[in-house]
Amino acid sequence: MDLPCRTAAPRESLRERRRRETRDELHAAALRLSRELGFEQVTVEMISEEAGVSPRTFFNYFPSKESALLTWPASFTPEARARFLAAPARDTRSVLRDVGELFASYLEASPPRRDEVEEVFRIAERTPSVLAAVLAGFDALERELGALVAERTGRGTGDRTADLVSGVSMAAVRVAMRRWAQDHGCEQPAPEFVRESFALLKDLTSPLEEAATASS
Amino acid sequence: MDLPCRTAAPRESLRERRRRETRDELHAAALRLSRELGFEQVTVEMISEEAGVSPRTFFNYFPSKESALLTWPASFTPEARARFLAAPARDTRSVLRDVGELFASYLEASPPRRDEVEEVFRIAERTPSVLAAVLAGFDALERELGALVAERTGRGTGDRTADLVSGVSMAAVRVAMRRWAQDHGCEQPAPEFVRESFALLKDLTSPLEEAATASS
């Protein structure tokens, strides 16, 4: 392994903590109001009032009511990016493995709440603007990751293999998160779902899998 | 290969032809007006008038002005679905290969115009509602494909491996189409880009690639 499994939480300044708390409060208010009234009925004004801030402050944190609902996926921390870029292996197999660890440690550093993620996926199913925001969030992360993979592997930005590694990784993350959100029975944490998804990825194109399936 | 490379064009009734022509005309009008005025300024009324139909008729073909801009990706023909499902191999490696052929023959049966696809991608870059519609189109196709793969491989709908095969395939298709749309220099057709993308996919997790890269 090139990457350590856990990210040490960096020390937070008072200002950073206040920002995080306001952001969390706006997110919680958006979810609470959507649950009570239905997402379509909720406005930025209502979310701001519920959280005790002005709409102007709201827009310092989120560009729209959809984005307040979705605090995940966000982007990687500078430390995680640096660690990913510093790892020596440049072949796609190792890079894919490290991308899996990048996501797993991201989820370990800021664990999402299963009931919230499930609720957001459920709202997205019936609200096109929320589905669009979810997809746009994943798309933005896919581009960020594509640039990281291009840099790590010494390829130019927009390189086809780098884009493919990034797209394939995001598919693995999306499948893992959807499954984790729906998995009420067991208490397996989200990073384990991500690791399993990346392990499965490795076998998808393996000729060995062909033989195993043919004999089953 | 389990799938033939080309789809024979099915015979079209007069009614089907008229529908296709109206749809094509609405799509062309949406693109033409977006080019002249900017997409934000264009309304469903303007597109309908330009194509010589009523807004009511417009909504028989498209649910929104965004969707009129995007005639690709659509969905698979019943014949292509049946052929894909009838192929015997159930291992993921063979299924991935056949998914590549499913897309390649889809593109051969109804070839998209490169300048149009490039234009739509460009509009999507600066117009969130168009990006959302592009992403939602790919997402719908990913779900359709996931169900097809689940059926073909004898897994239940929502099976993790089936979802992963589908997600990974859509990543390969998106990378191929983006690259094809931007590739002004050469005249390689879109299906070849898709086939190359799926071939590259096969090598992403190959241990051989590791050795090849390490020595380069």
Side-chain angles (χ1 to χ4, degrees):
Chain A
M1 294 302 310
D2 298 308
L3 299 176
C5 281
R6 290 189 174 269
T7 314
R11 274 186 66 86
E12 202 177 33
S13 73
L14 182 62
R15 187 157 169 275
E16 283 167 346
R17 195 175 103 198
R18 293 235 167 104
R19 261 196 78 79
R20 183 174 53 75
E21 285 170 355
T22 305
R23 193 184 155 86
D24 288 351
E25 188 44 56
L26 284 166
H27 169 60
L31 262 177
R32 201 156 55 229
L33 289 167
S34 301
R35 207 173 293 141
E36 285 165 20
L37 309 169
F39 180 75
E40 287 84 350
Q41 307 307 318
V42 177
T43 64
V44 166
E45 285 70 26
M46 290 157 76
I47 300 171
S48 310
E49 201 188 319
E50 175 91 2
V53 303
S54 69
R56 199 193 156 101
T57 300
F58 175 95
F59 286 115
N60 285 335
Y61 290 86
F62 299 107
S64 65
K65 65 170 186 164
E66 282 80 10
S67 56
L69 206 58
L70 312 167
T71 54
W72 199 91
S75 129
F76 305 112
T77 62
E79 295 76 21
R81 294 170 59 97
R83 204 166 47 237
F84 176 76
L85 290 175
R90 290 163 60 136
D91 66 284
T92 55
R93 187 184 169 95
S94 308
V95 170
L96 263 175
R97 179 200 60 201
D98 291 350
V99 169
E101 275 310 310
L102 182 65
F103 277 105
S105 53
Y106 166 73
L107 289 168
E108 275 162 353
S110 42
R113 284 185 47 182
R114 192 195 299 248
D115 55 343
E116 280 194 8
V117 175
E118 188 191 11
E119 192 164 5
V120 169
F121 279 163
R122 215 165 35 211
I123 296 172
E125 288 289 333
R126 52 171 199 268
T127 318
S129 69
V130 175
L131 177 63
V134 171
L135 296 174
F138 279 121
D139 186 58
L141 200 52
E142 183 170 327
R143 285 161 198 249
E144 185 184 341
L145 183 60
L148 274 179
V149 171
E151 194 176 338
R152 159 90 177 258
T153 56
R155 300 165 186 268
T157 300
D159 171 81
R160 184 163 53 168
T161 300
D163 284 353
L164 208 52
V165 167
S166 169
V168 160
S169 299
M170 290 308 301
V173 170
R174 275 185 286 122
V175 167
M177 292 306 288
R178 215 159 43 211
R179 189 150 302 264
W180 171 74
Q182 291 165 349
D183 182 44
H184 298 285
C186 99
E187 284 307 304
Q188 197 182 344
E192 289 312 307
F193 276 81
V194 168
R195 289 196 177 98
E196 279 181 14
S197 206
F198 276 82
L200 211 51
L201 205 55
K202 216 171 48 198
D203 298 334
L204 279 193
T205 60
S206 145
L208 289 176
E209 203 260 354
E210 190 157 15
T213 311
S215 68
S216 72
Chain B
M1 294 305 308
D2 297 308
L3 299 175
C5 281
R6 290 188 174 271
T7 313
R11 274 186 68 84
E12 202 178 33
S13 72
L14 181 63
R15 187 157 169 278
E16 281 167 347
R17 195 176 103 198
R18 293 235 166 103
R19 262 195 79 79
R20 183 175 51 77
E21 284 171 355
T22 305
R23 192 184 156 85
D24 288 352
E25 187 45 54
L26 284 166
H27 169 61
L31 262 177
R32 202 157 52 232
L33 288 167
S34 300
R35 208 173 292 141
E36 284 166 20
L37 309 169
F39 180 75
E40 288 84 350
Q41 308 307 318
V42 177
T43 64
V44 166
E45 286 69 26
M46 290 159 74
I47 299 172
S48 310
E49 200 188 321
E50 176 90 2
V53 303
S54 68
R56 199 194 157 101
T57 300
F58 175 96
F59 286 114
N60 285 335
Y61 290 85
F62 299 107
S64 65
K65 64 170 187 165
E66 281 80 9
S67 57
L69 206 59
L70 311 167
T71 55
W72 200 92
S75 125
F76 304 113
T77 63
E79 296 77 21
R81 293 171 61 98
R83 204 167 47 239
F84 175 76
L85 289 175
R90 289 162 60 137
D91 66 284
T92 55
R93 187 183 169 93
S94 308
V95 170
L96 263 174
R97 180 199 60 200
D98 291 350
V99 169
E101 275 311 309
L102 183 66
F103 277 104
S105 51
Y106 165 72
L107 290 168
E108 276 162 353
S110 42
R113 284 185 48 182
R114 191 196 300 247
D115 54 343
E116 279 192 9
V117 175
E118 187 191 11
E119 194 164 2
V120 169
F121 279 163
R122 216 164 35 210
I123 296 172
E125 289 290 332
R126 53 170 198 266
T127 319
S129 69
V130 175
L131 177 62
V134 171
L135 296 175
F138 279 120
D139 185 59
L141 200 53
E142 182 170 327
R143 285 161 196 248
E144 186 184 340
L145 183 61
L148 273 179
V149 171
E151 194 176 337
R152 160 89 177 259
T153 55
R155 299 165 186 268
T157 300
D159 171 81
R160 184 163 55 166
T161 300
D163 284 353
L164 208 53
V165 167
S166 170
V168 160
S169 299
M170 290 308 301
V173 170
R174 276 184 285 123
V175 167
M177 292 307 288
R178 213 157 45 210
R179 189 151 302 264
W180 172 75
Q182 291 165 350
D183 182 44
H184 298 284
C186 97
E187 284 308 303
Q188 197 183 344
E192 289 312 308
F193 277 81
V194 168
R195 290 198 177 97
E196 281 181 14
S197 206
F198 276 82
L200 211 52
L201 206 54
K202 217 171 48 197
D203 298 334
L204 278 192
T205 59
S206 147
L208 289 175
E209 203 259 355
E210 190 158 14
T213 311
S215 68
S216 71

